[in-house]
Amino acid sequence: MREKMKQGSFAVEASFVLPFLVLIVFVCICLALYLHDRSVLASCAAETAGKGAARKYRSEKELEAELSEEALALAFDRLMVCRELEVSVKVTAKSVTVSYTGETPLLSGLSFREEETAKRLNPARFMRTCRKWKEFWKK
């Protein structure tokens, strides 16, 4: 009789512990998927900002439109749980900023924002300025 009671107590204890363990596993999987999407978007933002900074002789409006399409296409197939994704690209004479804003349906709608900025450098102008200063100091 005592052995039957021990077996029954194990089933009761397992019925309390098992749902808690399943919940913990589910939350860990959801957070892993969320962090995956955030890291993908951070790398996509950095890559797009770097590409935009390398394109020197385009107008700011033209470059913004081009980079917006590229940024959306770059991240589209890589995401796992993100459903609503917005891309914002801001191009100035000195920098390119790419930001992603999105939301996931997991865990009551986690949201995120990833942003990267790259400087637009003009090496030809820099070299010309250096040469002018070098000639100035020689005189």
Side-chain angles (χ1 to χ4, degrees):
M1 181 90 173
R2 285 193 150 216
E3 278 195 34
K4 281 190 175 184
M5 289 184 72
K6 285 183 182 178
Q7 290 175 352
S9 67
F10 178 73
V12 171
E13 290 170 3
S15 69
F16 287 123
V17 173
L18 192 62
F20 181 70
L21 290 177
V22 169
L23 177 70
I24 296 291
V25 169
F26 176 74
V27 169
C28 288
I29 290 171
C30 289
L31 287 176
L33 293 173
Y34 170 74
L35 292 175
H36 170 268
D37 281 1
R38 283 194 66 169
S39 66
V40 164
L41 290 178
S43 67
C44 288
E47 183 177 340
T48 306
K51 284 180 182 180
R55 297 178 186 161
K56 305 286 184 231
Y57 305 109
R58 299 232 173 105
S59 70
E60 294 171 4
K61 295 288 182 189
E62 184 180 292
L63 192 57
E64 278 183 9
E66 199 174 299
L67 289 177
S68 292
E69 290 176 14
E70 284 185 27
L72 196 56
L74 188 62
F76 182 70
D77 288 337
R78 296 182 183 180
L79 299 176
M80 297 181 116
V81 293
C82 179
R83 295 292 173 246
E84 298 176 21
L85 183 66
E86 295 177 14
V87 178
S88 171
V89 178
K90 183 180 177 186
V91 178
T92 63
K94 297 195 181 235
S95 68
V96 175
T97 304
V98 178
S99 64
Y100 289 97
T101 307
E103 191 172 298
T104 66
L106 297 176
L107 301 176
S108 301
L110 295 171
S111 62
F112 50 85
R113 177 177 166 83
E114 294 297 327
E115 180 175 296
E116 289 293 330
T117 302
K119 290 184 180 178
R120 291 181 80 187
L121 301 176
N122 191 342
R125 186 181 336 143
F126 178 75
M127 293 301 293
R128 289 182 190 126
T129 305
C130 288
R131 288 179 186 150
K132 286 179 184 177
W133 279 107
K134 188 176 177 181
E135 289 176 14
F136 174 76
W137 288 110
K138 279 186 180 180
K139 294 181 182 182

